[in-house]
Amino acid sequence: MSASVRGPQLWAGLLQRQLTLAAVALLAAVGAVAGAATRDSQPSGPLPKSVPAPGGGWYSALAGPTRRPTGRRSACGHLITALSVGVAHPVLPCDVKVFIRYGKKTVLTQVIDRGPYVPGKEFELTGELAKLLGVHGTQPIHWRYAG
């Protein structure tokens, strides 16, 4: 085989290898994003106990559903989707688990974002969490840490 024929074949082989590596990298990235989204939305293991506020009760706060868009990464690094269940709080650490109580419903959730950035609210609830609790508009809620 002459050198002039091997040159195009060599380049074709290199191009095919690069495309294969790019496809593998793309599949790995898609798998990592899918795994992170699944991990954020599925609790595992037994539920922790709630830790009473000083005096044995619950903390009180004003909370309401968020108006921020879905499909974005939060300040805590979580992918926020329409099915995300969590709260935004300006001071509590990211990923800290808390119980939120509204009326007769109590839900274990976690801090997944910073906020709220709306005056009059201490917690901002994801749409799915607000739906689970039945919160419409800004409402007084009770909360306590999960232990």
Side-chain angles (χ1 to χ4, degrees):
M1 197 178 266
S2 71
S4 63
V5 174
R6 276 194 316 207
Q9 289 175 341
L10 181 65
W11 284 107
L14 287 173
L15 180 60
Q16 184 178 8
R17 281 188 211 114
Q18 287 180 334
L19 289 174
T20 301
L21 287 173
V24 169
L26 179 62
L27 286 174
V30 168
V33 169
T38 301
R39 185 184 68 241
D40 286 349
S41 62
Q42 295 179 350
S44 61
L47 293 178
K49 294 180 180 182
S50 65
V51 179
W58 292 72
Y59 297 101
S60 296
L62 290 176
T66 186
R67 294 185 182 181
R68 288 189 269 175
T70 58
R72 64 177 178 82
R73 286 265 171 211
S74 72
C76 294
H78 294 268
L79 178 62
I80 305 296
T81 69
L83 299 177
S84 295
V85 177
V87 298
H89 193 273
V91 178
L92 293 177
C94 292
D95 300 324
V96 72
K97 304 256 190 290
V98 292
F99 285 95
I100 303 289
R101 187 176 76 187
Y102 179 70
K104 294 184 180 187
K105 295 182 183 176
T106 303
V107 174
L108 174 65
T109 191
Q110 66 182 359
V111 176
I112 61 172
D113 201 0
R114 292 281 154 242
Y117 300 105
V118 178
K121 282 196 247 178
E122 297 167 70
F123 281 92
E124 198 167 76
L125 313 175
T126 61
E128 189 66 16
L129 178 57
K131 187 166 57 171
L132 285 170
L133 291 168
V135 173
H136 301 281
T138 302
Q139 300 293 328
I141 56 109
H142 299 284
W143 70 278
R144 56 167 64 160
Y145 293 102

